[in-house]
Amino acid sequence: MLKYARGEYVSSRTICETFQTSRTAIWKHVQSLQKQGYSVEAVPSKGYRLLEMDDFVSAYEIKDYIQAKVFGKLIAYRESVDSTNSAARQLADQGEPEGTLVIADEQTHGRGRFQRKWYSPAKSGIWMSLILRPNLSIVEAPRLTVLTAVAVAKTLTKLSNQQAYIKWPNDILFDGKKVCGILTEINVEGNQINYVIVGIGINVNLRQDELPISLQPSVCSLQSFVHQPLKRARVVANILSTLEDLYITCLKSGDFTGVMNYFKIHNVTLGHVVEIQSGSSRLAGIVEDIDDYGALVIRTTDHQIKKIYSGDILSSSVQ
Amino acid sequence: MLKVSDIRDFIHLLDESTVHELRIETDEIKLTLKKADGSPVVATGVESANTAMRLTGTTSTQNANMVESVMPTKESKEDDSSTSVIRSPMVGTFYRASSPNSEAFVQVGDRISEHTVVCIIEAMKLMNEIEADVKGEIIEVLTENGHLVEYGQPLFRVKLA
């Protein structure tokens, strides 16, 4: 009720009448909300109001903004979790359906590939994982990486009015700095996909000086590219919406062309000279193309054409 | 097990048909037979690490047949029915451990069951923890950490038990 009043005071009498309850009961509830972290202001003779600066990512908050039909239908919110990907895997193993989202204010063991540490302090970003059960062959599964990267890039671009770019394979950048990382984990049964966990980590409001020194040159926060104060719940809902649209469209038609085009057009790796570590191989060359599955097509310094399906770009001729 | 006489039969069959090229693949051997008009038969044998096979092709018609390649796909002398090969379900990079500093998921000699994770195959930051799907003992690691693997490429040999 206070939410819909949008920053205006709501008198206790109105609340009492609406919920058919006593002033004491209302006050108890307000205190409980305040304990949860909501900034409810109580002014005698005026009533209560919810201060608008609050930024929560509970299921309740996100559902306020949700437009997607399936993604986010079930939301598991935790204040703190080891890793949303790990939590989502557990839920998926238990049979939770496609579209289930795990979201946390804080990750104590946030991770990237190979157990690399993903820095996720409390309330500073969006740390979430989505369960997918795609009707795709295992061979096609890596296309979901491209699809997710494009969905996030599109959403962040719209929210900030500045084009977000994609660094291969799926880092999302603003001004050459990483604002979002995506880690996808797949579970297979026989030769069928059982589930795919899409983990999305977006740095929303950590300032440069709040980041660990090692990360400062290469990481940025979403808030610094958006003029109004961001509500993470709204960002989450928008991402789920765009992601669901692309997911349904591509899987229904089997046609990923639109997604691949966006991936290639807003790509900071394509067309540049790179040095890349792929597994145990290191190679250098010019990225001439990106294939239909997102693999890099590199012409190496000794004029061979190589397709790279996984790796870390060590350096790039990006300006 | 494919015998030399079987292969001779195939050559004969090919000879007598209008089929131009015949490819046969079994668990032990990949065989390609191609008709080459005019030239006499040349037999080529391809030696693998463990097994060598030499063939002489014959023809009784004007079409000459050539054994193009004979490639054993088995790399050890184990009997087929008691071993199984775990293969990659996708193109990607093969990793034996969850991180550079971790111990490998499995080593030669380790006992495994259906849900034992044996390796990770990664493509486009999509991590696939490969489960064994069989019960037994790892007897051979068939590819190297950090190498690119193709769809269907053998990863581990397992003695079934």
Side-chain angles (χ1 to χ4, degrees), chain A residues 84-97:
Chain A
T84 59
N85 261 32
S86 302
R89 287 194 74 151
Q90 271 178 23
L91 292 178
D93 283 333
Q94 288 164 28
E96 294 299 337

Side-chain angles (χ1 to χ4, degrees), chain A residues 89-227:
Chain A
R89 287 194 74 151
Q90 271 178 23
L91 292 178
D93 283 333
Q94 288 164 28
E96 294 299 337
E98 172 165 272
T100 303
L101 183 77
V102 176
I103 183 162
D105 269 314
E106 176 192 44
Q107 292 188 116
T108 55
H109 290 83
R111 54 193 170 79
R113 275 177 302 169
F114 316 124
Q115 315 299 323
R116 292 172 188 166
K117 191 171 157 66
W118 179 265
Y119 187 65
S120 352
K123 291 180 150 308
S124 60
I126 290 168
W127 325 121
M128 66 180 180
S129 301
L130 185 68
I131 298 177
L132 297 179
R133 296 187 184 271
N135 186 12
L136 279 177
S137 66
I138 301 170
V139 164
E140 290 183 287
R143 290 178 130 171
L144 293 173
T145 300
V146 175
L147 191 143
T148 309
V150 168
V152 175
K154 276 190 164 182
T155 311
L156 299 190
T157 299
K158 206 160 76 170
L159 282 170
S160 70
N161 279 322
Q162 172 161 341
Q163 182 66 51
Y165 281 88
I166 301 170
K167 173 185 162 192
W168 193 88
N170 63 4
D171 288 350
I172 312 295
L173 313 179
F174 274 125
D175 280 355
K177 293 189 183 185
K178 188 167 169 176
V179 71
C180 168
I182 303 166
L183 177 70
T184 319
E185 295 176 290
I186 184 174
N187 181 272
V188 157
E189 242 161 52
N191 63 349
Q192 306 265 52
I193 297 178
N194 187 11
Y195 59 79
V196 176
I197 305 293
V198 177
I200 297 173
I202 303 174
N203 178 24
V204 175
N205 49 34
L206 274 182
R207 291 190 321 264
Q208 266 334 92
D209 57 321
E210 286 174 302
L211 291 163
I213 293 181
S214 58
L215 291 179
Q216 282 179 23
S218 53
V219 169
C220 67
S221 72
L222 180 60
Q223 184 64 84
S224 51
F225 294 90
V226 179
H227 301 301

Side-chain angles (χ1 to χ4, degrees), chain A residues 13-133:
Chain A
R13 184 162 15 135
T14 315
I15 302 178
C16 290
E17 279 171 11
T18 312
F19 294 105
Q20 300 278 301
T21 182
S22 70
R23 284 172 185 271
T24 329
I26 301 290
W27 177 230
K28 274 212 181 102
H29 277 113
V30 168
Q31 283 179 309
S32 148
L33 284 173
Q34 284 170 337
K35 257 209 199 105
Q36 281 174 57
Y38 282 94
S39 315
V40 185
E41 202 188 12
V43 176
S45 85
K46 269 197 165 167
Y48 300 100
R49 73 166 173 168
L50 188 61
L51 297 172
E52 292 256 45
M53 307 99 74
D54 289 337
D55 174 30
F56 296 102
V57 286
S58 63
Y60 176 67
E61 294 290 329
I62 295 170
K63 281 194 193 280
D64 236 17
Y65 296 102
I66 278 260
Q67 287 182 341
K69 296 195 178 59
V70 174
F71 289 9
K73 195 142 194 220
L74 285 171
I75 298 178
Y77 163 75
R78 316 271 170 90
E79 207 175 309
S80 176
V81 81
D82 55 347
S83 143
T84 59
N85 261 32
S86 302
R89 287 194 74 151
Q90 271 178 23
L91 292 178
D93 283 333
Q94 288 164 28
E96 294 299 337
E98 172 165 272
T100 303
L101 183 77
V102 176
I103 183 162
D105 269 314
E106 176 192 44
Q107 292 188 116
T108 55
H109 290 83
R111 54 193 170 79
R113 275 177 302 169
F114 316 124
Q115 315 299 323
R116 292 172 188 166
K117 191 171 157 66
W118 179 265
Y119 187 65
S120 352
K123 291 180 150 308
S124 60
I126 290 168
W127 325 121
M128 66 180 180
S129 301
L130 185 68
I131 298 177
L132 297 179
R133 296 187 184 271

Side-chain angles (χ1 to χ4, degrees), chain A residues 89 113-115 138-139 141-142 145-146 168-171 182-186 188 278-280 293-295 309-310, chain B residues 89-93 95 97-100 102 120 122-129 131 133 145-148 150-151:
Chain A
R89 287 194 74 151
R113 275 177 302 169
F114 316 124
Q115 315 299 323
I138 301 170
V139 164
T145 300
V146 175
W168 193 88
N170 63 4
D171 288 350
I182 303 166
L183 177 70
T184 319
E185 295 176 290
I186 184 174
V188 157
S278 178
S280 52
Y293 289 79
Y309 298 91
S310 45
Chain B
M90 58 191 247
V91 180
T93 303
Y95 292 105
S98 63
S99 79
S102 307
I120 289 176
E122 184 234 329
M124 298 294 293
K125 264 173 79 178
L126 177 106
M127 318 299 292
N128 189 350
E129 284 185 352
E131 291 179 2
D133 283 348
N145 188 49
H147 276 206
L148 177 69
E150 300 291 334
Y151 171 77

Side-chain angles (χ1 to χ4, degrees), chain A residues 285-302:
Chain A
I286 182 161
V287 180
E288 291 198 334
D289 198 8
I290 290 175
D291 84 359
D292 288 339
Y293 289 79
L296 289 183
V297 181
I298 294 185
R299 180 184 297 277
T300 62
T301 42
D302 54 348

